[in-house]
Amino acid sequence: MKILIIGAGGVGSAAVSILARRSFFERVVVADYDPARAARATAPYDDRFVAAPSVDASNVSSVAALIRESGASHVLNAVDPRFVMPIFDACFEAGVTYLDMAMSLSHPHPERPYELTGVKLGDDQFAKAEAWQKAGLLALCGIGIEPGLADVFARYAEDELFSSIDEAGVRDGANLAVAGYDFAPSFSIWTTIEECLNPPVIYEEGRGWFTTPPFSEPEVFDFPEGIGPVECVNVEHEEVLLIPRWTKAKRVTFKYGLGDEFIDVLKTLHKLGLDSTAPVRVKGVEVSPRDVVAACLPDPATLGDVMTGKTCAGLWVRGMGKDGQPRSTYLYHVVDNEWSMQEYGHQAVVWQTAVNPCVALELLADGRWSGVGVLGPEALPHRPFLDLLVDYGSPWGIQELPV
Amino acid sequence: MKILIIGAGGVGSAAVSILARRSFFERVVVADYDPARAARATAPYDDRFVAAPSVDASNVSSVAALIRESGASHVLNAVDPRFVMPIFDACFEAGVTYLDMAMSLSHPHPERPYELTGVKLGDDQFAKAEAWQKAGLLALCGIGIEPGLADVFARYAEDELFSSIDEAGVRDGANLAVAGYDFAPSFSIWTTIEECLNPPVIYEEGRGWFTTPPFSEPEVFDFPEGIGPVECVNVEHEEVLLIPRWTKAKRVTFKYGLGDEFIDVLKTLHKLGLDSTAPVRVKGVEVSPRDVVAACLPDPATLGDVMTGKTCAGLWVRGMGKDGQPRSTYLYHVVDNEWSMQEYGHQAVVWQTAVNPCVALELLADGRWSGVGVLGPEALPHRPFLDLLVDYGSPWGIQELPV
């Protein structure tokens, strides 16, 4: 297998460090808009890893040309979700397998944004599902940690643990702290703003997908392994769009443990229009305010050394167990930043995201996973994934909660 | 008298509308970086008002050349305080009278910013006071509303109302609301950030000037004419640097009625580094984050039509009255936005700032005010100013408070 990774930011670089310990592929080409980043990501590793020249991920034919030159059969999209569609289309054009960790962007309903969905996350990709299927090509979408492992957990819950699911609710929380900064998000602020300020989407059987105002339904969730209680709120996320397509949950939600301070920052950015991606004119140049916010904050990928704590991603499933008794189970994955920094030199959040597409690529390489069309992780068998994740040194957990 | 106004933003444009009703001058030339703004400011008025071509206010020789071409004897600086020094220096070079409404910028103490002053507001201008005096030239600094009228009130308090002053405390508050915007400051956000996030300066007899952390000594002040109680905090402002130079107040403070929401916004901008003026690199271009914040918000000069409420500026003086009894007096000036919009087509805050240099220019034109050197408004007789302000249709008020 020859792999092309597009994007040498935090997640792309962490994926390189993880793949460097595996042997299922022959070659990994890493490309970025900034060729120096691609070179930095590959430099520490053996000669299976090669940095490509600069790529413009917004341009389908440039990306398709790069895919052909790289000789890759599998492309991992590790850039921000603005570039999902050009990379997805370039993979179709080049006839290769596509993997991403975030799906095509949503657009709110023009009149009733906080009640109805407009264009949903992934809609632009699913609109092309038939073409992918007919061409015999696979786009494996949302195969990071969330979406990704959370979706694998949904498959596992339905197949092995529950006879019926009342709610499949992704819950994400952390106790990460960054020393020396007043404010330093541990994940891309661009993506965090996108997720948190878009109207959150919820799925309910009978009603389908609908939206609410941002930060709705606050709830304190008690995260395992010492993280403890964190205030979580509804956030727009791919799992809510993916899980109902392949499982029978009556309700699907995503709640993110943002905490009060982060919610206040996001509300303020929104109030001032600084969350906007539309360019503003500033003394003769045009910039997107959201890009300026990102440029003012430290790059989360560089914060591993000054960060402490753990991050947890998981799926809280409630319903009837296989034994016919009510059941409430949290399936989760925790990464300790100290461990990921020591083992891989990458901080917990980006490492936790990056490990999942590496596992998926290995399953695709040896045929334990296969398929055609535009698929989410819950469309594929969970067992080989969950077992191989443990083999990557990164066990997942299961916790029974009071019903 | 020929006048050159540099800056056709909110305050410069309002000054034109005020001067248009007076007859003490022959000609007003208005210049701006953007010549269209200068043209818009002068267009509605008679042919005494002329728009100049584009001027770069950061360039001393360009400004000096403009002054000479304009034939002006008096220059009113109405641009943001970054450009105080080049305009001030250009006036000296051209040998004309200089007026401003904000003084040269401060730089915090490098080691103990929240205890000691570094370079103070106006220091760069006062450093050149002897040269101005020797040249027989006048720089009248801080002659807007605050600094400006507040300083005139200090002269009045010392000369007519008090035998000794324990504290001269500027207090500024408003009940302005802007319909249709989540957040819309009624004054330049650039200047507001500068004032509010710099360490506030306080003067005390014996101790001199010292600083505190931003937003210190919160206090609820009850503003007159229906505005009511507003939470005020210490802010860096010129009055604290000017009043002690010409009056004998034992303590001088400036507290601004920011309100909780505005304080939270400013703290968040600071936490994210979005208050910074140092350029950041964003996708190949360089911008100052603070300029981006300003570009995202509506131009306060354009908000008059959707704004309601009143703005109040004044000086709260406590000490011993001329009669030997303890006295607590608030000297103030209120502008109702509805009135200023109807009468002048300019919103309350910029109109209130702009009226004071117009009054000062008229006093300089007929010789009721005169002087040489770098002077604050409290260096000149208060009576003619306070009387002429009333003649401009804008009365001030006096309120006795419990001692």
Side-chain angles (χ1 to χ4, degrees):
Chain A
M1 178 185 273
K2 285 180 185 158
I3 301 164
L4 170 62
I5 299 178
I6 301 179
V11 175
S13 301
V16 170
S17 77
I18 295 164
L19 290 172
R21 300 200 185 178
R22 311 299 297 187
S23 56
F24 66 88
F25 58 89
E26 301 153 54
R27 189 182 165 93
V28 174
V29 176
V30 180
D32 196 278
Y33 184 75
D34 176 2
R37 296 214 309 176
R40 271 199 300 277
T42 53
Y45 305 106
D46 60 83
D47 57 10
R48 294 177 301 165
F49 297 90
V50 182
S54 175
V55 64
D56 175 2
S58 70
N59 186 299
V60 177
S61 47
S62 300
V63 176
L66 171 67
I67 296 169
R68 290 191 194 98
E69 280 158 35
S70 72
S73 57
H74 292 70
V75 173
L76 173 59
N77 169 6
V79 291
D80 83 51
R82 273 177 290 191
F83 306 108
V84 161
M85 288 315 293
I87 299 176
F88 177 84
D89 288 339
C91 286
F92 184 82
E93 197 180 305
V96 299
T97 300
Y98 168 85
L99 296 91
D100 67 30
M101 294 163 278
M103 298 189 72
S104 59
L105 294 173
S106 65
H107 300 284
H109 190 278
E111 283 96 42
R112 294 160 66 191
Y114 299 148
E115 294 165 64
L116 304 179
T117 58
V119 176
K120 302 187 297 302
L121 287 173
D123 273 2
D124 295 343
Q125 291 174 283
F126 283 117
K128 299 183 175 180
E130 207 182 312
W132 281 73
Q133 199 162 13
K134 281 189 181 157
L137 288 171
L138 172 63
L140 177 52
C141 295
I143 186 66
I145 178 73
E146 285 170 342
L149 181 55
D151 301 77
V152 174
F153 285 145
R155 174 85 278 132
Y156 173 43
E158 182 169 85
D159 287 0
E160 295 195 35
L161 308 178
F162 286 80
S163 58
S164 73
I165 293 174
D166 293 328
E167 178 162 349
V170 185
R171 296 293 182 271
D172 176 314
N175 64 354
L176 295 167
V178 179
Y181 288 90
D182 283 342
F183 185 73
S186 56
F187 199 69
S188 158
I189 187 75
W190 198 100
T191 307
T192 306
I193 290 173
E194 183 73 17
E195 290 176 349
C196 296
L197 293 177
N198 279 346
V201 61
I202 294 173
Y203 174 84
E204 281 179 12
E205 198 180 68
R207 184 173 176 185
W209 288 292
F210 61 95
T211 57
T212 76
F215 312 116
S216 62
E217 299 181 1
E219 160 199 296
V220 174
F221 190 81
D222 194 1
F223 288 89
E225 300 199 13
I227 294 173
V230 181
E231 177 144 322
C232 298
V233 290
N234 278 323
V235 158
E236 180 191 54
H237 230 256
E238 287 85 346
E239 296 88 319
V240 178
L241 287 316
L242 289 172
I243 292 173
R245 292 176 198 264
W246 286 282
T247 76
K248 269 192 161 335
K250 294 192 182 81
R251 191 171 205 262
V252 184
T253 57
F254 183 102
K255 290 192 183 178
Y256 190 16
L258 281 171
D260 292 346
E261 188 193 16
F262 212 135
I263 291 174
D264 183 62
V265 164
L266 292 169
K267 286 181 173 172
T268 301
L269 290 174
H270 181 59
K271 189 156 63 178
L272 274 65
L274 290 164
D275 58 320
S276 171
T277 56
V280 293
R281 194 152 190 87
V282 181
K283 305 213 181 277
V285 301
E286 296 228 325
V287 288
S288 138
R290 196 190 293 183
D291 288 336
V292 175
V293 172
C296 286
L297 292 171
D299 178 352
T302 65
L303 296 176
D305 290 327
V306 285
M307 204 187 274
T308 52
K310 295 174 179 175
T311 187
C312 178
L315 186 72
W316 180 22
V317 189
R318 283 167 289 179
M320 295 298 278
K322 290 285 186 199
D323 61 0
Q325 297 299 308
R327 183 172 187 172
S328 174
T329 303
Y330 185 56
L331 298 158
Y332 66 89
H333 186 253
V334 167
V335 177
D336 185 329
N337 187 70
E338 198 185 342
W339 175 85
S340 68
M341 283 304 295
Q342 199 175 332
E343 281 286 313
Y344 287 90
H346 289 277
Q347 54 102 317
V349 180
V350 297
W351 190 90
Q352 188 184 37
T353 306
V355 68
N356 296 284
C358 297
V359 169
L361 284 163
E362 186 157 347
L363 295 176
L364 292 167
D366 65 20
R368 278 180 285 175
W369 269 14
S370 64
V372 291
V374 177
L375 303 182
E378 50 281 271
L380 296 163
H382 60 278
R383 249 311 140 202
F385 190 96
L386 293 175
D387 291 345
L388 188 54
L389 186 62
V390 176
D391 189 56
Y392 271 63
S394 187
W396 50 278
I398 179 165
Q399 189 176 41
E400 294 304 326
L401 302 174
V403 287
Chain B
M1 179 187 271
K2 286 181 183 156
I3 301 164
L4 170 64
I5 298 179
I6 301 178
V11 175
S13 302
V16 169
S17 77
I18 295 165
L19 289 173
R21 300 199 185 180
R22 312 299 296 187
S23 57
F24 67 87
F25 57 89
E26 301 154 53
R27 188 183 166 92
V28 174
V29 176
V30 180
D32 196 277
Y33 184 76
D34 176 0
R37 297 214 307 176
R40 272 200 301 276
T42 53
Y45 304 105
D46 61 83
D47 59 9
R48 294 177 301 165
F49 296 90
V50 182
S54 175
V55 63
D56 175 2
S58 69
N59 186 298
V60 177
S61 47
S62 302
V63 176
L66 170 67
I67 296 169
R68 289 192 194 98
E69 280 158 35
S70 71
S73 58
H74 292 71
V75 173
L76 173 57
N77 168 7
V79 292
D80 84 49
R82 274 177 288 191
F83 305 108
V84 161
M85 288 315 292
I87 299 177
F88 177 84
D89 289 339
C91 287
F92 184 83
E93 197 180 304
V96 298
T97 299
Y98 168 86
L99 296 90
D100 66 30
M101 293 163 280
M103 297 189 72
S104 58
L105 293 173
S106 65
H107 300 284
H109 190 279
E111 283 97 41
R112 294 159 66 191
Y114 299 149
E115 295 165 62
L116 304 179
T117 58
V119 176
K120 302 188 297 301
L121 287 172
D123 274 2
D124 295 343
Q125 291 173 283
F126 283 117
K128 298 181 175 179
E130 207 183 311
W132 281 74
Q133 199 162 14
K134 280 190 182 155
L137 288 170
L138 172 63
L140 176 53
C141 295
I143 185 67
I145 177 72
E146 285 169 342
L149 181 55
D151 302 77
V152 174
F153 285 146
R155 172 85 279 132
Y156 173 43
E158 182 169 84
D159 288 1
E160 295 194 33
L161 308 179
F162 286 78
S163 58
S164 73
I165 294 173
D166 293 329
E167 178 162 349
V170 185
R171 295 294 182 272
D172 176 314
N175 63 355
L176 295 168
V178 178
Y181 288 92
D182 282 342
F183 185 74
S186 55
F187 200 70
S188 157
I189 188 75
W190 199 101
T191 307
T192 306
I193 291 173
E194 182 73 19
E195 289 176 350
C196 296
L197 292 177
N198 278 346
V201 62
I202 294 173
Y203 174 84
E204 282 179 12
E205 198 179 68
R207 185 174 176 185
W209 287 293
F210 61 95
T211 57
T212 76
F215 312 113
S216 61
E217 299 181 2
E219 160 200 296
V220 174
F221 189 81
D222 194 0
F223 288 91
E225 299 199 13
I227 295 174
V230 181
E231 175 144 323
C232 299
V233 291
N234 279 324
V235 158
E236 180 192 54
H237 230 256
E238 287 86 345
E239 296 88 320
V240 179
L241 286 317
L242 289 172
I243 293 174
R245 293 177 198 263
W246 285 282
T247 75
K248 268 192 162 339
K250 295 192 182 80
R251 191 169 204 263
V252 184
T253 57
F254 184 101
K255 290 190 183 179
Y256 190 15
L258 281 171
D260 291 347
E261 189 193 17
F262 212 135
I263 291 174
D264 184 59
V265 164
L266 292 170
K267 285 182 174 173
T268 301
L269 290 174
H270 181 60
K271 190 156 61 177
L272 274 65
L274 290 163
D275 58 320
S276 172
T277 56
V280 292
R281 193 153 191 86
V282 181
K283 306 217 183 274
V285 302
E286 297 228 325
V287 288
S288 137
R290 196 190 293 182
D291 288 337
V292 175
V293 173
C296 286
L297 293 171
D299 178 353
T302 66
L303 297 176
D305 291 327
V306 285
M307 205 187 275
T308 53
K310 296 173 179 176
T311 186
C312 178
L315 185 72
W316 181 22
V317 189
R318 282 166 290 178
M320 296 297 278
K322 290 286 188 198
D323 61 359
Q325 296 300 308
R327 183 171 188 174
S328 174
T329 304
Y330 185 56
L331 299 158
Y332 66 90
H333 186 253
V334 167
V335 176
D336 185 330
N337 187 70
E338 198 184 340
W339 175 85
S340 68
M341 283 303 295
Q342 199 174 330
E343 282 285 313
Y344 287 89
H346 289 277
Q347 55 102 317
V349 180
V350 298
W351 190 90
Q352 189 184 37
T353 306
V355 68
N356 296 286
C358 298
V359 170
L361 284 163
E362 185 157 348
L363 295 176
L364 291 168
D366 65 20
R368 278 180 284 173
W369 269 16
S370 65
V372 292
V374 178
L375 303 182
E378 51 280 271
L380 295 163
H382 60 278
R383 248 313 140 200
F385 190 95
L386 293 175
D387 291 346
L388 188 54
L389 186 62
V390 175
D391 189 56
Y392 270 63
S394 188
W396 49 278
I398 179 164
Q399 189 176 42
E400 295 303 325
L401 301 174
V403 289

